[in-house]
C-alpha cells in the first residue's frame, strides 16, 4: 500500500511535466505571435548568439507606436543617467533623446545598474528597443518592436537566453522558462491597457 503513494505522486508529476512540455510550453513561447513574427530576425538577436531559449510574443494595441512608446519606457522602469561614463550627447543625439523620452543607450530598464539590470543596447524610438543583461550565469536579451499596422501597433517582444555551461546556467534556464512568460505577458497587457486608454 505504501509503495502506491510514491508511484502516484511520481505519475502525477510526470504527467504535469509532460503536459507543460508538449502543450503549455509551445503556446507560451509564442503567445499571440504568428509564424512570420516567430521566425523573423529581430534587432539584438546577435547579442545572445546560440541561445538555448527563445520566446516571441505579440499583441495588437489600438494606438499608434508613438502612443505606445512612452508606456513601454515608463512601465519598463527607466532610470535615466545610469551610465556616467557615457560621452556627452551630440546635437543629433539630443534629438533622439527627446523622441525616446530621455532614454539613451547605456541607460537602465527593469532593474538597477548593479550588473543584474537590463541595459539599453539599441533604440530607435518609437519603433525599436533592445535590452541586454549580462551575468555570470547567462546573457539575456529582450528585443521589442512596435510596428504600425492600419493605425494600430503590433507590439512584439522577443526574449533570448544564452546560458553558461554548468548547473547554475541550467538552473537559470529552468527558472526563466515559465517566469519569463508570466512577467512579459503581464507587462504587455499593462502597456496595451495604458496606451489604449490614453489614445481613446
Amino acid at each position: 500500500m505504501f509503495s502506491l503513494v510514491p508511484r502516484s505522486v511520481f505519475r502525477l508529476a510526470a504527467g504535469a511535466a509532460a503536459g507543460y512540455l508538449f502543450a503549455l510550453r509551445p503556446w507560451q513561447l509564442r503567445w499571440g505571435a504568428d509564424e512570420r513574427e516567430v521566425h523573423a530576425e529581430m534587432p539584438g538577436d546577435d547579442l545572445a548568439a546560440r541561445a538555448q531559449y527563445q520566446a516571441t510574443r505579440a499583441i495588437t494595441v489600438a494606438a499608434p507606436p508613438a502612443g505606445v512608446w512612452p508606456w513601454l519606457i515608463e512601465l519598463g522602469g527607466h532610470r535615466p543617467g545610469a551610465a556616467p561614463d557615457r560621452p556627452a550627447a551630440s546635437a543629433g543625439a539630443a534629438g533622439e533623446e527627446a523622441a525616446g523620452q530621455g532614454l539613451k543607450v547605456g541607460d537602465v530598464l527593469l532593474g538597477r545598474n548593479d550588473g543584474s539590470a537590463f541595459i539599453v543596447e539599441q533604440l530607435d524610438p518609437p519603433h525599436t528597443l533592445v535590452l541586454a543583461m549580462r551575468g555570470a550565469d547567462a546573457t539575456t536579451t529582450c528585443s521589442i518592436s512596435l510596428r504600425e499596422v492600419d493605425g494600430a501597433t503590433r507590439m512584439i517582444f522577443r526574449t533570448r537566453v544564452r546560458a553558461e555551461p554548468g548547473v547554475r546556467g541550467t538552473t537559470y534556464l529552468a527558472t526563466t522558462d515559465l517566469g519569463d512568460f508570466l512577467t512579459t505577458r503581464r507587462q504587455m497587457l499593462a502597456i496595451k491597457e495604458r496606451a489604449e486608454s490614453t489614445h481613446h
Side-chain angles (χ1 to χ4, degrees):
M1 177 177 180
F2 291 106
S3 63
L4 295 178
V5 175
R7 287 182 181 177
S8 299
V9 172
F10 174 78
R11 287 172 181 168
L12 182 62
Y20 174 71
L21 288 174
F22 295 107
L24 181 59
R25 188 173 190 269
W27 169 79
Q28 66 94 346
L29 286 176
R30 52 180 300 163
W31 176 77
D34 61 30
E35 286 292 328
R36 185 184 61 80
E37 292 164 340
V38 168
H39 297 292
E41 291 186 7
M42 289 186 66
D45 282 355
D46 58 317
L47 297 177
R50 301 182 302 280
Q52 299 101 328
Y53 175 90
Q54 176 171 302
T56 305
R57 287 105 179 193
I59 195 170
T60 299
V61 183
V68 178
W69 181 268
W71 293 112
L72 171 66
I73 302 308
E74 180 172 330
L75 294 177
H78 178 211
R79 311 284 199 279
D85 57 342
R86 184 175 50 247
S90 64
E96 284 188 13
E97 277 187 37
Q101 304 269 310
L103 190 67
K104 303 173 291 295
V105 170
D107 277 353
V108 173
L109 288 176
L110 309 176
R112 299 167 298 167
N113 193 23
D114 61 358
S116 63
F118 278 96
I119 308 299
V120 177
E121 296 283 338
Q122 302 174 33
L123 79 158
D124 177 22
H127 300 291
T128 304
L129 177 63
V130 178
L131 310 172
M133 179 171 63
R134 297 177 176 86
D137 303 328
T139 294
T140 304
T141 62
C142 183
S143 303
I144 303 111
S145 172
L146 304 180
R147 181 166 52 89
E148 186 163 2
V149 180
D150 297 329
T153 298
R154 189 65 173 162
M155 181 168 58
I156 306 167
F157 270 59
R158 173 170 292 169
T159 304
R160 285 170 60 87
V161 178
R162 185 186 68 236
E164 298 300 322
V167 174
R168 291 179 59 178
T170 302
T171 301
Y172 184 93
L173 275 175
T175 55
T176 297
D177 199 295
L178 184 57
D180 170 59
F181 169 64
L182 298 175
T183 300
T184 301
R185 182 177 181 273
R186 182 170 60 246
Q187 186 177 27
M188 294 177 74
L189 290 173
I191 293 169
K192 173 182 170 70
E193 180 183 3
R194 301 287 183 86
E196 290 182 346
S197 63
T198 303
H199 180 63
H200 294 303

